[in-house]
Amino acid sequence: MNALQIVLLLLALGFVVLYARSPRNPKLALAYLRWVALGIAAILVLAPFVWLIAAVFKDRAVLNEYVFFPPPSEWSEKTVNLGNLRRLFAGDDTVQGKVFFWQYVINSLFFASAITILQLTFCSLAGYALAKYDFVGKRPLMVFMLGSMMVPPVLLFPPLYEMMVKLDLIDTYHGLILPSMVGAYGIFLFRQAMISIPKEMLDAGRIDGCSEFGIYLRLVMPLVRPMSAAFCLVTFLGQWNSFFGPSIFLQTQSKLTLPVILNLYIGFYQTEYGVFLAGTLLAIIPPAILFFALEKEFISGLASGAVKG
Amino acid sequence: MTHGIEEQVRPAKAAPEIEQPRRRRPNLAPYAFLAPYLVVTGVFVAYPLVHAAVLAFHQTNGPASRAFVGLDNFRYLLTDPVFHKALWNTTVFALFSLFLQLPLSMALALLLNTSKGRMKSIFRLVLFSPNLVGQIFVGILFSVLFTPRYGLINRFVHALVGWGLEERWLGNPSLVMPAIVITSLWLWVGFNMIYFLAALQSVDKSLEEAARVDGANRFQVFWHVTLPSIRHVVVFVVVTSLIGSYQLFELPLALMPDSYGRGPDDAGLTVITYLYDVGFTSGDLGLGSAVGWLLAVIIFGLSLLQIKVARVAED
């Protein structure tokens, strides 16, 4: 018997006791069971995060000695320090000279932000056109867009790769950003959010002398601000974490993004996994900050997509 | 200052102009607003799509040279045991998602649905949090958690059932798929739970009450009342997670970087890993495109299935 088994046994015993006290009306016992099950699920989800943080700050020598952190009595500069982070930021020697870890963070930030800003602009513009105008060719266009959403992105990569080689855009950010700067999914999201804006309001803007673009910018966009925030978050997260495109289009080490370089680090630092885990921890932080800032919009946006759709 | 005076005068002057009909010609604004999308999608989606169909009938050696081979690429895939293995592994993974991951997501959603307030949003946030972490980062993290003797999962399983402390999950062909499934459960259970939870909240409580008064037990209420009333969301989640499962690639790649995600005995090889391998590592973009088209057909079939099932569910 070890500690884990004893704890589980005690939890099970708690249920039996509660149930035995009132078998006719097991409300309390069932509530207990529900919270225990949810608690276990939450612990299972959080344990790898805690373990990751511990592994980053533990010294190499004691990495495997403790499951998580060392007990407070053995807590010292020798067991808990910033050694892994220091090594991570010491820089890599490459053919193009020294590359520092900051470079990859900046690359990822730039790549994800650029696509987010472009997507926000172009998806909302196109979504507005589909939501509030009638024009020739609207129906076939929407059918095409729905169809294009069924295409697995990976099918496009072989021809895109060939195209980028011919256009000499391999190993550039242009080649990576251009194909992803607008997409059918985002356009439909914005169309859905804008379709309920009353037409009278837009006409009022027209009578006041607003241009069509002015109406979009000054009247429509402020109204869909919560949706825009959720959209930016989802887009940024997706691009920050994206791997396939950057891994085939980028070649020079100083241009790589975090997912690509960290995947390579597993090979570089085989036995010292504290180092690439430190990089992984840092790569998780920016999306986490964004998420906690926008949590409500995000979860409700995610859920409304399913219920309405 | 003069500017300010001009602005004060202008409204009186401008007013009559507005009375005139401003436009008789068709409004060009929507076309202008759609132009960026049309250009980007034409160049980077529609053209590559057609080009992928052309490439699928060629053998290429990198982007520079190619030769027409007719249906040979598809014939090769039909007979290649490695591709069969990839298709098999991916299907097994999809079945695990369907019959293990989704029921777990539903169970958690049901557990959370009856609770209220702060605790609920905290649990929802915790269970969802792995989705913030990219698949590559999750793979990197779990590749270490599965370390023999010291890995957290090895230690946990050993403490729980007394087995597997020294087990090399990612080096043992029969344990590779379970390892991928465990990782994907950690990552995606909370994600689908959000959808189920949102749907459960819209279920009419009086229907469930009525069934309970009529003597149905908890399971019967769920099976005959709750589940049918959220069937649209269930169909949506089932199909999107099947489509997602067929595109599994990054998790095995980061879990087993030494073999580029193939694992021992190709036990972790997926359809996209195969595509990546033949198309970009070996440089045959033609064969890669053929694999891409087969995958597109599978996904297209699943999407059609969703539309069909959704129509049946409507009635």
Side-chain angles (χ1 to χ4, degrees):
Chain A
M1 283 286 258
N2 55 43
L4 181 69
Q5 287 167 331
I6 291 171
V7 168
L8 287 176
L9 205 69
L10 284 177
L11 286 172
L13 210 65
F15 174 72
V16 172
V17 168
L18 281 174
Y19 188 79
R21 273 180 49 179
S22 55
R24 280 294 166 96
N25 183 15
K27 228 175 187 161
L28 193 64
L30 285 172
Y32 169 83
L33 199 63
R34 193 174 77 223
W35 288 113
V36 167
L38 282 172
I40 290 176
I43 288 170
L44 288 178
V45 166
L46 289 178
F49 286 123
V50 178
W51 185 88
L52 172 64
I53 295 168
V56 169
F57 293 103
K58 270 185 291 189
D59 190 81
R60 265 176 79 189
V62 297
L63 192 53
N64 290 325
E65 209 164 301
Y66 314 101
V67 183
F68 292 100
F69 282 105
S73 57
E74 291 169 40
W75 201 297
S76 72
E77 183 59 23
K78 274 208 170 123
T79 53
V80 179
N81 56 40
L82 298 176
N84 289 319
L85 286 163
R86 236 173 256 139
R87 278 227 39 195
L88 182 71
F89 283 103
D92 306 319
D93 291 310
T94 69
V95 199
Q96 291 86 22
K98 227 166 168 54
V99 180
F100 291 94
F101 190 74
W102 281 120
Q103 185 66 51
Y104 311 122
V105 178
I106 291 167
N107 292 347
S108 268
L109 275 176
F110 167 73
F111 167 63
S113 320
I115 291 189
T116 305
I117 292 166
L118 289 168
Q119 284 245 359
L120 175 66
T121 313
F122 294 131
C123 289
S124 60
L125 261 177
Y128 174 54
L130 289 181
K132 287 290 146 198
Y133 290 95
D134 281 316
F135 54 91
V136 182
K138 182 170 165 180
R139 272 194 71 86
L141 178 65
M142 286 178 64
V143 171
F144 169 80
M145 286 170 63
L146 276 174
S148 76
M149 284 162 72
M150 288 182 201
V151 175
V154 69
L155 170 58
L156 301 176
F157 278 115
L160 269 179
Y161 184 78
E162 212 194 61
M163 188 195 250
M164 294 303 173
V165 170
K166 281 185 183 147
L167 294 175
D168 211 15
L169 286 174
I170 286 288
D171 204 24
T172 66
Y173 279 100
H174 300 91
L176 206 53
I177 291 171
L178 279 173
S180 335
M181 60 191 227
V182 54
Y185 175 74
I187 295 176
F188 273 114
L189 276 183
F190 276 103
R191 174 181 175 268
Q192 223 46 39
M194 289 167 174
I195 210 155
S196 54
I197 297 174
K199 213 170 175 80
E200 291 74 28
M201 200 176 137
L202 307 178
D203 285 336
R206 283 193 187 105
I207 289 167
D208 287 344
C210 231
S211 68
E212 296 296 311
F213 183 75
I215 292 171
Y216 153 80
L217 195 66
R218 302 214 181 83
L219 285 176
V220 176
M221 281 315 272
L223 283 175
V224 295
R225 196 172 272 165
M227 219 293 291
S228 306
F231 176 74
C232 285
L233 176 63
V234 176
T235 312
F236 185 87
L237 267 180
Q239 297 305 328
W240 178 267
N241 292 331
S242 84
F243 176 79
F244 203 115
S247 83
I248 58 174
F249 289 139
L250 298 176
Q251 287 160 352
T252 314
Q253 191 168 343
S254 60
K255 291 182 184 167
L256 298 182
T257 58
L258 285 169
V260 184
I261 191 66
L262 286 169
N263 192 46
L264 290 176
Y265 273 0
I266 310 178
F268 295 172
Y269 296 100
Q270 286 212 329
T271 48
E272 315 162 59
Y273 50 75
V275 180
F276 64 76
L277 288 179
T280 306
L281 181 63
L282 290 178
I284 296 175
I285 291 174
I289 294 173
L290 261 182
F291 178 76
F292 286 114
L294 293 166
E295 185 237 334
K296 233 176 220 143
E297 284 92 346
F298 181 64
I299 295 222
S300 63
L302 200 70
S304 68
V307 176
K308 278 180 201 155
Chain B
M1 272 277 79
T2 48
H3 188 71
I5 294 166
E6 258 177 24
E7 261 184 0
Q8 281 181 345
V9 176
R10 194 173 277 164
K13 264 188 181 173
E17 279 177 24
I18 292 165
E19 303 293 310
Q20 301 167 5
R22 275 172 58 141
R23 262 181 302 268
R24 286 266 163 76
R25 60 195 167 82
N27 195 343
L28 289 178
Y31 297 106
F33 293 164
L34 280 162
Y37 170 72
L38 294 174
V39 172
V40 167
T41 210
V43 177
F44 297 111
V45 178
Y47 171 73
L49 205 57
V50 175
H51 195 57
V54 175
L55 270 178
F57 296 102
H58 288 81
Q59 184 177 38
T60 69
N61 189 3
S65 73
R66 67 158 98 145
F68 183 78
V69 293
L71 285 169
D72 276 6
N73 284 330
F74 294 100
R75 238 174 256 141
Y76 177 76
L77 291 176
L78 280 180
T79 54
D80 182 19
V82 180
F83 180 69
H84 295 170
K85 181 105 190 189
L87 201 57
W88 169 249
N89 287 341
T90 317
T91 307
V92 168
F93 178 77
L95 291 176
F96 269 114
S97 310
L98 195 56
F99 294 109
L100 187 64
Q101 183 199 316
L102 293 186
L104 268 174
S105 300
M106 180 63 92
L108 286 171
L110 286 169
L111 286 176
L112 266 185
N113 189 38
T114 32
S115 59
K116 280 191 206 69
R118 267 188 87 78
M119 283 311 271
K120 178 177 177 175
S121 58
I122 290 173
F123 272 108
R124 194 174 63 170
L125 193 63
V126 167
L127 294 174
F128 179 79
S129 60
N131 279 280
L132 301 177
V133 188
Q135 286 189 46
I136 283 288
F137 305 132
V138 172
I140 293 172
L141 175 58
F142 273 68
S143 73
V144 186
L145 294 182
F146 281 116
T147 312
R149 186 187 292 246
Y150 300 117
L152 182 62
I153 293 172
N154 289 56
R155 278 175 158 158
F156 175 75
V157 172
H158 181 73
L160 197 65
V161 296
W163 165 88
L165 190 61
E166 303 285 346
E167 204 59 61
R168 287 182 64 228
W169 287 80
L170 301 168
N172 179 344
S174 54
L175 286 179
V176 163
M177 189 48 77
I180 296 174
V181 170
I182 289 171
T183 312
S184 73
L185 284 180
W186 183 77
L187 180 55
W188 282 309
V189 159
F191 180 75
N192 290 312
M193 182 199 74
I194 298 277
Y195 284 108
F196 288 141
L197 193 55
L200 285 174
Q201 273 155 10
S202 64
V203 172
D204 188 355
K205 294 277 175 294
S206 60
L207 276 178
E208 293 177 323
E209 287 296 315
R212 206 161 291 159
V213 170
D214 287 348
N217 65 30
R218 274 160 199 279
F219 180 75
Q220 286 168 327
V221 172
F222 172 72
W223 191 253
H224 294 292
V225 180
T226 317
L227 201 56
S229 45
I230 60 168
R231 60 185 184 274
H232 297 291
V233 174
V234 173
V235 170
F236 172 84
V237 172
V238 164
V239 173
T240 47
S241 73
L242 276 180
I243 290 176
S245 301
Y246 268 96
Q247 302 189 56
L248 181 71
F249 165 63
E250 296 172 6
L251 276 187
L253 181 77
L255 279 171
M256 299 168 288
D258 297 338
S259 55
Y260 294 97
R262 302 178 70 134
D265 234 356
D266 286 339
L269 185 70
T270 70
V271 174
I272 294 195
T273 315
Y274 184 89
L275 186 156
Y276 193 86
D277 219 27
V278 298
F280 299 102
T281 313
S282 311
D284 190 348
L285 295 172
L287 188 56
S289 297
V291 178
W293 268 105
L294 283 182
L295 187 67
V297 167
I298 294 174
I299 285 171
F300 191 66
L302 289 170
S303 306
L304 283 184
L305 191 73
Q306 174 184 20
I307 295 168
K308 264 243 158 77
V309 172
R311 279 223 182 107
V312 172
E314 208 74 53
D315 302 329

